[in-house]
Amino acid sequence: MTSHLRLNAVYWGLTALCVMKHKDALDREQLIDFVMSCWDEKAGAFGAHPRHDAHMLPTLSGIQILIIHDALDRLDKERVISFILSLQSPSGSFSGDRFGETDTRFCYCAVSALSLLGALDRLDINKTVEYIRKCKNFDGGYGSDVGGESHASQVFTCVGALAILNRLDEVDSETLAWWLSERQLPNGGLNGRPEKLEDVCYSFWVLSALSILNKMTWIDGPALERFILSSQDNDAGGIADRPGDMPDVWHTLFGVAGLSLLGYPGLDDLDPVYCMPKEVIERIGLRKGWVALPRRSE
């Protein structure tokens, strides 16, 4: 039931552990072996599970895991770069795989992966930026495609891609920050779009964009922190989408990521542009100008 998310889930778990300072809780060699078992030799990229077809989403996750563990030498970089570039259409959009579904998520994955591989110079940046521009709405937000409703997760993908491409001049920062701050509900949680329920995962999608725009103070940070902490499972561990629900690795990562950006004590810094440990991104020289809240002492 979860095989289509397996490689992504390994990335989510590993990143959460890194932020909590327990990177070594997962065996390095076993992780790398699993990543490489998801390699699609025919396509030259990663699938979500062994014997699955290559797709943009697990390909980025595989690259992120290998970089976190300093194992990029295991990757056929040229084939992966070719796979990613082959999925860009004349409009500037990216497909997730050979079947042609387009989404701004795939645009972010392409830009992030190419940046991590040191191959942004191979990308038609102007065409990519033009496509993202067309996905911007009157409220400053971004949708999954041209004309799509603004959604917090798509805001992250578009703002994150523009940050990597050094094109944040495209963002209507004041309007977008207002729209993002309006995602906070009376219980402190954030939703992804108007009239929807709060969900812990938006702690990252919203905060990542606000930190990139240097607008972290535009929401009530302490209220959001209380909401995230109230969504923990104090018996089994992990974080759920909201209090009382079952925890999972997806919401655990994005809850921990949100807490890190809020300056919660005892956590390591997370880079909100790449959703990877800050020290990893700084080590490879890709740090952008985001601003999180100061880390509080224990």
Side-chain angles (χ1 to χ4, degrees):
M1 292 291 289
T2 62
S3 61
H4 67 292
L5 296 172
R6 196 66 53 83
L7 187 52
N8 302 106
V10 173
Y11 152 72
W12 301 331
L14 174 61
T15 303
L17 287 167
C18 288
V19 174
M20 294 187 291
K21 304 183 181 183
H22 287 280
K23 174 183 174 181
D24 295 334
L26 297 176
D27 183 83
R28 178 182 185 272
E29 292 307 315
Q30 287 184 358
L31 280 182
I32 295 171
D33 287 346
F34 178 74
V35 170
M36 298 313 301
S37 75
C38 296
W39 179 256
D40 179 348
E41 179 60 30
K42 183 176 180 181
F46 292 110
H49 190 273
R51 297 181 297 280
H52 281 214
D53 290 342
H55 192 281
M56 188 77 80
L57 295 174
T59 292
L60 175 59
S61 291
I63 292 168
Q64 290 169 310
I65 295 166
L66 293 176
I67 288 177
I68 289 172
H69 276 301
D70 197 21
L72 206 56
D73 60 320
R74 300 284 298 273
L75 186 69
D76 188 335
K77 291 172 59 174
E78 190 56 40
R79 291 200 68 196
V80 174
I81 292 167
S82 297
F83 170 80
I84 294 170
L85 293 175
S86 73
L87 295 174
Q88 187 169 33
S89 74
S91 71
S93 66
F94 276 88
S95 302
D97 57 21
R98 60 190 176 88
F99 296 105
E101 178 192 7
T102 60
D103 190 307
T104 47
R105 291 179 301 156
F106 309 145
C107 184
Y108 169 80
C109 289
V111 170
S112 181
L114 291 172
S115 174
L116 292 169
L117 295 176
L120 270 183
D121 60 324
R122 307 270 293 275
L123 175 68
D124 188 331
I125 292 175
N126 289 333
K127 186 165 67 174
T128 305
V129 171
E130 182 180 353
Y131 168 70
I132 295 173
R133 184 187 304 132
K134 291 177 180 177
C135 295
K136 183 165 70 173
N137 294 317
F138 73 94
D139 52 20
Y142 295 83
S144 60
D145 211 331
V146 179
E149 179 185 7
S150 294
H151 193 285
S153 61
Q154 312 299 148
V155 167
F156 161 74
T157 62
C158 292
V159 172
L162 291 171
I164 292 169
L165 297 173
N166 297 317
R167 291 300 307 272
L168 286 175
D169 57 292
E170 292 285 339
V171 179
D172 184 346
S173 297
E174 299 293 309
T175 303
L176 178 55
W178 164 81
W179 187 86
L180 290 168
S181 67
E182 287 292 304
R183 305 280 56 78
Q184 191 160 34
L185 300 176
N187 64 4
L190 302 167
N191 63 19
R193 50 198 170 114
E195 304 301 324
K196 296 296 182 179
L197 292 176
E198 68 285 346
D199 189 314
V200 160
C201 69
Y202 297 116
S203 305
F204 176 73
W205 307 127
V206 172
L207 290 183
S208 59
L210 288 174
S211 64
I212 292 169
L213 300 176
N214 194 13
K215 305 286 188 184
M216 282 285 291
T217 59
W218 283 39
I219 65 161
D220 185 339
L224 175 57
E225 184 175 295
R226 289 193 294 272
F227 172 74
I228 298 171
L229 294 174
S230 72
S231 301
Q232 294 180 100
D233 186 323
N234 293 323
D235 295 320
I239 301 175
D241 56 349
R242 58 186 61 88
D245 286 352
M246 289 292 293
D248 57 73
V249 68
W250 161 273
H251 290 96
T252 298
L253 166 59
F254 294 119
V256 170
L259 290 173
S260 178
L261 292 173
L262 289 168
Y264 191 79
L267 299 178
D268 271 349
D269 292 337
L270 180 90
D271 188 297
V273 177
Y274 293 92
C275 197
M276 293 173 64
K278 186 187 80 165
E279 59 88 12
V280 172
I281 297 302
E282 290 184 342
R283 169 168 54 83
I284 58 180
L286 295 178
R287 172 74 150 86
K288 299 296 180 180
W290 53 271
V291 179
L293 295 182
R295 180 77 50 219
R296 305 193 304 277
S297 59
E298 298 284 357

